[in-house]
Amino acid sequence: MTGDHEPLPPGGRELPALDGGLPLIGHGIPFFRDPVGFLARVHSSRGEAVAFSLPGRRMASFCGPQANALILGLQDDTEVDRHLFYDPLLAPLLGPGVGLTAPSELMKWQHSLLLPLLRRDALTRHIPVMFDEVERYVAPWDGHGTFDLLAVMRDLSARIAACCLIGPRFGRTMGPALPRLLGRLEAALFAFAVIGPRGPLPHGLADRARETLVHAIKEIAPRDCPEGSERSHFEELMRATGPGGSSLDEDTAAALMVNWLFAAVPTTALAAWTGVLVLQHPQWLPVLRAEQEAAFADYPPTTLSALHKLERLSHCLLEAERLHPPIVVLPRPAARDLNIHGYRVPRGYVVCASPGLSHRLTSVFRRPEAFDPDRYLPDRAEHRTTPQALIGFGGGRHPCLGATLAQQTIKVIWSALLRAFDFELADPEVREARTTVMRLPRRPCTVRYRRRKR
């Protein structure tokens, strides 16, 4: 690629092809069993670029910050066609014509409808809502006991997303049903990724969960006004005017909100891994508590500046993103023959960068297998030594819109929990689950807790 992202004339070296794939499923079994380990092995043997097969698609995998920057900088429509990859996966899951399955101009407009909920003033309004949800959730807990970490993070991230993005009444009315429905959508997404979009089981699972959520949103959200607002977020969507004077009907507006809620699933993964890593390295607990005492003049805090002072917690969160990024690969389907990093990529191949593999490069990160939040201190700042080194929230032309909201959610959850409780992992050996797209911690992930004396 040239600096202005115009495609070079087709040419260059042929992609080294990985052999040994099975008919129809290609290399799907080793990839879905351990995607980062699989990619690490194939790049170690074949070099910086390699082609392999997954069910229904040919993959062109690249490794390294320079390749990441090229791939994440590819232009929509002229160089990549996201519909080739996302429509079969997301249309049956979250509904056609919304989010990533919408045409480019319509997608940009739909994204713009979320932005008012992500601006600085909105993020400030979300702070007391987030703390209140965590306090409500843990209020019934006894003085000591155990809980499943993944279940708690699922509940909290879903409730917070619902209250902030749809409305407080919706979040509290749905209660534990909401994370269960989002979990079914995530399970269906994994099934679609593994066996393709034709199987009746994932379709049924996705349809029932999505229809339940759409119905609940249409019933509750129109009258669910956030505190201090005269209109609900749903009403704002219905009033919006899009390209060519278009507008949203109730079903499409509700489907768009389902897309917003589904973003709570990667937040769940990152919140859970942040907790796992900190509890596996308990020397960080007094550091994080001392930082919180210094940052919060009053509790709960009401300003973004107070949360921004939690730099050590931010470093732990970044390290969780580096070691356990929720998204395994960042796919960019080639809309035409491309020349990437000197390799010819045929049209229709899915070009991908891997956060999990890129985040463990010894050329970028010192002792990459180690949990080392100090690597983000200003005098080291390993993630800033090269562009696109840390890509757990995407990057380039399509960074995650909700990255700041997700990070704020995780900071609030762990600030509230660490203030109120002492924690210990029942079993410090926690592995990634193999049957989830987001690479969640394997269950049960049991945590012992004890209320702290104020």
Side-chain angles (χ1 to χ4, degrees):
M1 294 296 155
T2 60
D4 57 1
H5 301 285
E6 287 297 322
L8 292 171
R13 292 168 286 175
E14 291 289 330
L15 283 166
L18 186 66
D19 53 16
L22 298 175
L24 299 179
I25 64 173
H27 304 92
I29 292 176
F31 176 84
F32 289 110
R33 179 183 295 141
D34 179 12
V36 175
F38 170 81
L39 292 173
R41 291 191 299 273
V42 300
H43 279 287
S44 176
S45 63
R46 296 304 179 104
E48 62 185 354
V50 63
F52 61 94
S53 298
L54 293 180
R57 58 188 73 98
R58 288 285 289 168
M59 309 294 291
S61 176
F62 290 81
C63 178
Q66 290 183 332
N68 290 345
L70 291 172
I71 292 168
L72 299 179
L74 292 170
Q75 292 187 5
D76 289 338
D77 301 327
T78 59
E79 294 177 312
V80 297
D81 182 357
R82 69 179 183 281
H83 297 285
L84 295 174
F85 183 85
Y86 287 111
D87 284 10
L89 287 176
L90 298 185
L93 186 79
L94 301 174
V98 291
L100 291 171
T101 64
S104 293
E105 288 303 311
L106 186 59
M107 182 190 73
K108 292 177 183 177
W109 174 62
Q110 291 178 355
H111 283 174
S112 73
L113 300 176
L114 177 61
L115 293 180
L117 302 177
L118 305 177
R119 289 197 293 255
R120 184 178 180 86
D121 58 336
L123 292 173
T124 301
R125 292 195 303 270
H126 296 332
I127 293 173
V129 175
M130 292 177 173
F131 274 102
D132 185 54
E133 287 304 313
V134 181
E135 298 287 354
R136 286 172 179 264
Y137 186 83
V138 301
W141 289 10
D142 294 329
H144 61 89
T146 63
F147 62 85
D148 183 85
L149 180 63
L150 183 57
V152 169
M153 294 302 116
R154 272 181 165 156
D155 289 349
L156 289 173
S157 59
R159 289 171 65 145
I160 288 173
C163 289
C164 294
L165 301 180
I166 299 181
R169 181 166 169 257
F170 177 81
R172 290 164 191 167
T173 301
M174 293 297 293
L178 180 58
R180 283 201 300 269
L181 292 168
L182 294 177
R184 290 171 187 169
L185 289 177
E186 201 274 338
L189 177 60
F190 181 77
F192 285 135
V194 173
I195 67 176
R198 298 180 180 85
L201 180 61
H203 270 283
L205 189 66
D207 289 345
R208 288 190 295 273
R210 184 182 67 255
E211 289 167 4
T212 301
L213 285 168
V214 166
H215 176 76
I217 290 170
K218 288 165 61 178
E219 285 290 312
I220 301 169
R223 298 174 300 279
D224 194 2
C225 298
E227 186 176 349
S229 176
E230 296 180 357
R231 285 197 294 265
S232 67
H233 298 323
F234 191 87
E235 287 181 293
E236 296 289 355
L237 290 186
M238 297 298 295
R239 288 169 174 261
T241 302
S246 60
S247 60
L248 301 175
D249 58 35
E250 284 192 343
D251 287 329
T252 306
L256 187 58
M257 284 186 154
V258 172
N259 276 254
W260 297 355
L261 287 174
F262 192 64
V265 178
T267 304
T268 294
L270 196 52
W273 281 117
T274 299
V276 167
L277 290 167
V278 169
L279 297 182
Q280 285 176 330
H281 302 83
Q283 70 271 21
W284 280 93
L285 292 172
V287 175
L288 298 181
R289 289 196 174 106
E291 176 182 66
Q292 185 180 148
E293 290 293 326
F296 297 167
D298 298 302
Y299 185 89
T302 57
T303 64
L304 288 176
S305 61
L307 289 181
H308 290 164
K309 293 177 182 178
L310 301 178
E311 293 181 351
R312 304 308 277 152
L313 180 56
S314 294
H315 296 163
C316 291
L317 197 162
L318 286 172
E319 195 65 337
E321 176 192 346
R322 187 184 69 82
L323 289 168
H324 298 282
I327 306 300
V328 174
V329 296
L330 302 173
R332 302 292 188 268
R336 59 193 301 177
D337 287 356
L338 299 173
N339 186 311
I340 297 179
H341 218 39
Y343 292 90
R344 186 176 66 84
V345 178
R347 179 185 181 277
Y349 273 50
V350 180
V351 185
C352 65
S354 169
L357 182 58
S358 298
H359 293 175
R360 295 174 185 248
L361 294 174
T362 55
S363 59
V364 180
F365 297 102
R366 188 190 312 169
R367 297 176 58 239
E369 300 301 321
F371 176 73
D372 183 9
D374 286 344
R375 70 176 79 247
Y376 305 101
L377 290 170
D379 61 341
R380 287 178 62 181
E382 295 176 7
H383 61 310
R384 301 190 188 279
T385 57
T386 184
Q388 308 295 334
L390 201 62
I391 53 174
F393 283 102
R397 295 182 182 273
H398 296 288
C400 175
L401 288 178
T404 301
L405 180 65
Q407 292 162 345
Q408 178 173 316
T409 299
I410 297 167
K411 282 185 176 183
V412 168
I413 288 174
W414 281 108
S415 293
L417 292 180
L418 291 175
R419 179 178 183 271
F421 300 96
D422 289 317
F423 296 113
E424 179 186 30
L425 284 170
D427 182 359
E429 295 297 323
V430 181
R431 298 181 180 181
E432 287 187 345
R434 291 181 175 177
T435 57
T436 64
V437 171
M438 306 297 174
R439 312 308 292 177
L440 300 161
R442 185 181 297 180
R443 301 181 72 179
C445 184
T446 304
V447 174
R448 302 187 188 98
Y449 74 86
R450 183 176 297 275
R451 282 194 180 272
R452 305 182 75 219
K453 295 179 180 180
R454 298 292 174 87

